[in-house]
Amino acid sequence: KIVSNIGIVIVIDRSSRIMMMDIYEPLSALPVPVQALLLISAVHFILSVYKPLATNLSLLCEFTFSSPPLIDVEMTDAESKDDGVKDEPLSNPQLQIASEPNNVQCWDPSTLQHLGSVPAMTKEDVESLCAKAAIAQKSWALTTYAQRRMVLRTIQKYIVAHQEDICRVSARDSGKPKVDALLGEVMTTCEKIRCINVNGEEWLQCQYRPVGPMMMHKTAYVEYVPFGVLGVIAPWNYPFHNMLNHVISGLFSGNAVVSKVSEHTTWSASYFTRIVKAALEAHGHDSNVVQTLTGFGECGAALVQSENVDKIIFTGSPGVGRKVMAGCAPNVKPCILELGGKDPMVFCDDVKLKDVVPWAMRGCFQNCGQNCCGV
């Protein structure tokens, strides 16, 4: 028998298993300060240990006992084969040609082979797709976090099983080597899905705030609710990750996502969109909750100005970022601007060159220098 200083008796058998725990002295007999301390300790234990443990165990069970399906996504020869493009290199490739003014021309920057063309969407086209997304978002917002996690896990399972295809398509559309696509497209997207699936539900819970003495009868908290339709204008440097990045977080938070992809990496967007839509459809959801826009400046401007879009996320140059902000202003539409540019790198007198030169080279040449922290 072990008698603790607060009167709890614990009887342990020879195998050190706890067989019985009983209250030796009623808690009510303890001094009030001790009772208060015990209560505070219990609450602290529940908040700091039990609740996170229960949450993680719940996720562990969910990931262990429910397996996402392996979806099938139809691919063209140019998407599925290294030698799938047979065209001769173009001598002077252009995004827009006189014979097809309403299309965006696509080609492989590393070989100059023509990959095809996609529609340059008009304002009417954009409004139509945004309206479909807004309708689909109503039912998607009612899904549970577990249902959203399953869709993201289905996407992740496809990515892992088709790494070679995704790297090929990303490299063919942007000109980067496959190893750059593996590190910058596949790995980062899988990590984003893992991070959101593990932490997203906790991050979106109500967060309580303290109130002053005059409002002690009130409760204050921040509640996260879906915006509705997110409009995303993505750059060309990471065609797969830049598109999936906002689709992942947007879908998990109950939003629809309409992405306007760069005219320089438009060809790959069709395949990447099919992956997401197939994952949604595999679980009985309306795939219109995710839409992809192709085109030039007119298309992006229409997305910014659309009354069916509730928030804009833009990544690109400061010049275009100003135009996006001006387009959001009339409707006081919230926008997030990630504005690029080359960053300076300063070497101090006491620097060890052999330690910093590799980082400088990485900043200059990784992904041809087209990186969030390019030098």
Side-chain angles (χ1 to χ4, degrees), residues 76 143 157 161 166 168 174 204 211 268 291 299 306 321 325 332 335 337 340 355 368 374-375:
T76 65
T143 56
K157 187 172 184 177
I166 293 170
R168 179 189 304 108
S174 65
L204 293 175
V211 295
S268 58
Q291 299 289 348
C299 177
S306 173
M325 184 178 289
V332 199
C335 62
L337 305 178
D355 293 335
C368 291
V375 176

Side-chain angles (χ1 to χ4, degrees), residues 65-78:
F65 298 109
S66 62
S67 179
L70 183 59
I71 56 176
D72 181 47
V73 179
E74 186 177 349
M75 301 179 67
T76 65
D77 285 347

Side-chain angles (χ1 to χ4, degrees), residues 203-251:
W203 290 344
L204 293 175
Q205 296 303 306
C206 288
Q207 297 181 1
Y208 287 86
R209 299 290 188 264
V211 295
M214 292 184 63
M215 293 292 174
M216 61 186 304
H217 60 292
K218 299 281 189 178
T219 300
Y221 59 89
V222 176
E223 183 178 7
Y224 295 93
V225 296
F227 265 99
V229 178
L230 304 181
V232 178
I233 302 178
W236 55 267
N237 55 339
Y238 293 101
F240 181 63
H241 179 66
N242 285 340
M243 185 178 124
L244 268 290
N245 180 29
H246 301 295
V247 167
I248 293 165
S249 52
L251 286 181

Side-chain angles (χ1 to χ4, degrees), residues 4-257:
S4 71
N5 58 359
I6 61 170
I8 297 179
V9 176
I10 304 174
V11 179
I12 307 176
D13 69 355
R14 291 181 179 180
S15 62
S16 298
R17 291 180 301 163
I18 298 177
M19 302 299 294
M20 179 185 73
M21 179 165 44
D22 193 16
I23 300 300
Y24 181 75
E25 180 179 346
L27 289 175
S28 59
L30 296 175
V32 173
V34 175
Q35 294 183 41
L37 183 61
L38 287 174
L39 179 61
I40 293 172
S41 300
V43 172
H44 176 73
F45 175 80
I46 291 172
L47 294 178
S48 63
V49 179
Y50 175 75
K51 186 177 179 181
L53 182 62
T55 301
N56 290 331
L57 283 176
S58 175
L59 286 176
L60 181 61
C61 291
E62 180 182 322
F63 295 160
T64 302
F65 298 109
S66 62
S67 179
L70 183 59
I71 56 176
D72 181 47
V73 179
E74 186 177 349
M75 301 179 67
T76 65
D77 285 347
E79 294 166 342
S80 61
K81 299 178 181 178
D82 286 336
D83 60 350
V85 180
K86 305 298 183 181
D87 290 12
E88 292 296 320
L90 300 171
S91 58
N92 184 30
Q94 301 290 327
L95 287 172
Q96 196 171 24
I97 57 178
S99 59
E100 297 183 43
N102 298 322
N103 287 334
V104 180
Q105 301 301 317
C106 309
W107 70 89
D108 183 338
S110 61
T111 65
L112 300 184
Q113 290 175 296
H114 189 246
L115 300 175
S117 61
V118 298
M121 295 184 179
T122 64
K123 183 176 181 178
E124 291 72 23
D125 297 329
V126 173
E127 280 298 332
S128 175
L129 293 180
C130 289
K132 290 181 180 180
I135 294 172
Q137 188 271 337
K138 303 301 181 185
S139 58
W140 176 252
L142 301 177
T143 56
T144 65
Y145 289 120
Q147 289 175 307
R148 299 172 193 176
R149 278 192 292 266
M150 181 56 75
V151 170
L152 296 187
R153 290 173 63 198
T154 302
I155 295 173
Q156 187 177 46
K157 187 172 184 177
Y158 181 88
I159 294 172
V160 172
H162 294 81
Q163 297 176 56
E164 181 76 14
D165 294 328
I166 293 170
C167 288
R168 179 189 304 108
V169 173
S170 296
R172 182 156 282 163
D173 204 16
S174 65
K176 67 180 67 180
K178 284 184 179 179
V179 66
D180 261 355
L182 182 64
L183 295 174
E185 311 275 7
V186 171
M187 185 181 72
T188 50
T189 302
C190 286
E191 169 56 19
K192 178 68 177 275
I193 294 175
R194 184 209 65 80
C195 179
I196 293 297
N197 272 347
V198 172
N199 302 296
E201 183 173 355
E202 179 183 354
W203 290 344
L204 293 175
Q205 296 303 306
C206 288
Q207 297 181 1
Y208 287 86
R209 299 290 188 264
V211 295
M214 292 184 63
M215 293 292 174
M216 61 186 304
H217 60 292
K218 299 281 189 178
T219 300
Y221 59 89
V222 176
E223 183 178 7
Y224 295 93
V225 296
F227 265 99
V229 178
L230 304 181
V232 178
I233 302 178
W236 55 267
N237 55 339
Y238 293 101
F240 181 63
H241 179 66
N242 285 340
M243 185 178 124
L244 268 290
N245 180 29
H246 301 295
V247 167
I248 293 165
S249 52
L251 286 181
F252 192 86
S253 52
N255 296 289
V257 183

Side-chain angles (χ1 to χ4, degrees), residues 203-355:
W203 290 344
L204 293 175
Q205 296 303 306
C206 288
Q207 297 181 1
Y208 287 86
R209 299 290 188 264
V211 295
M214 292 184 63
M215 293 292 174
M216 61 186 304
H217 60 292
K218 299 281 189 178
T219 300
Y221 59 89
V222 176
E223 183 178 7
Y224 295 93
V225 296
F227 265 99
V229 178
L230 304 181
V232 178
I233 302 178
W236 55 267
N237 55 339
Y238 293 101
F240 181 63
H241 179 66
N242 285 340
M243 185 178 124
L244 268 290
N245 180 29
H246 301 295
V247 167
I248 293 165
S249 52
L251 286 181
F252 192 86
S253 52
N255 296 289
V257 183
V258 180
S259 301
K260 192 277 178 187
V261 296
S262 170
E263 56 268 34
H264 295 282
T265 50
T266 296
W267 175 75
S268 58
S270 174
Y271 171 48
F272 301 154
T273 303
R274 295 198 301 270
I275 297 173
V276 178
K277 286 183 174 290
L280 287 163
E281 292 168 358
H283 298 285
H285 303 298
D286 188 348
S287 62
N288 281 322
V289 76
V290 171
Q291 299 289 348
T292 300
L293 309 179
T294 57
F296 299 104
E298 177 189 0
C299 177
L303 177 64
V304 171
Q305 297 165 6
S306 173
E307 294 183 358
N308 286 305
V309 174
D310 301 288
K311 185 174 183 177
I312 293 292
I313 303 171
F314 169 79
T315 305
S317 70
V320 178
R322 293 187 184 95
K323 295 180 179 179
V324 170
M325 184 178 289
C328 291
N331 295 318
V332 199
K333 185 179 298 183
C335 62
I336 296 177
L337 305 178
E338 181 187 346
L339 307 181
K342 286 298 196 179
D343 303 310
M345 193 171 192
V346 179
F347 293 83
C348 299
D349 291 339
D350 61 347
V351 72
K352 296 180 180 179
L353 288 178
K354 66 180 181 63
D355 293 335

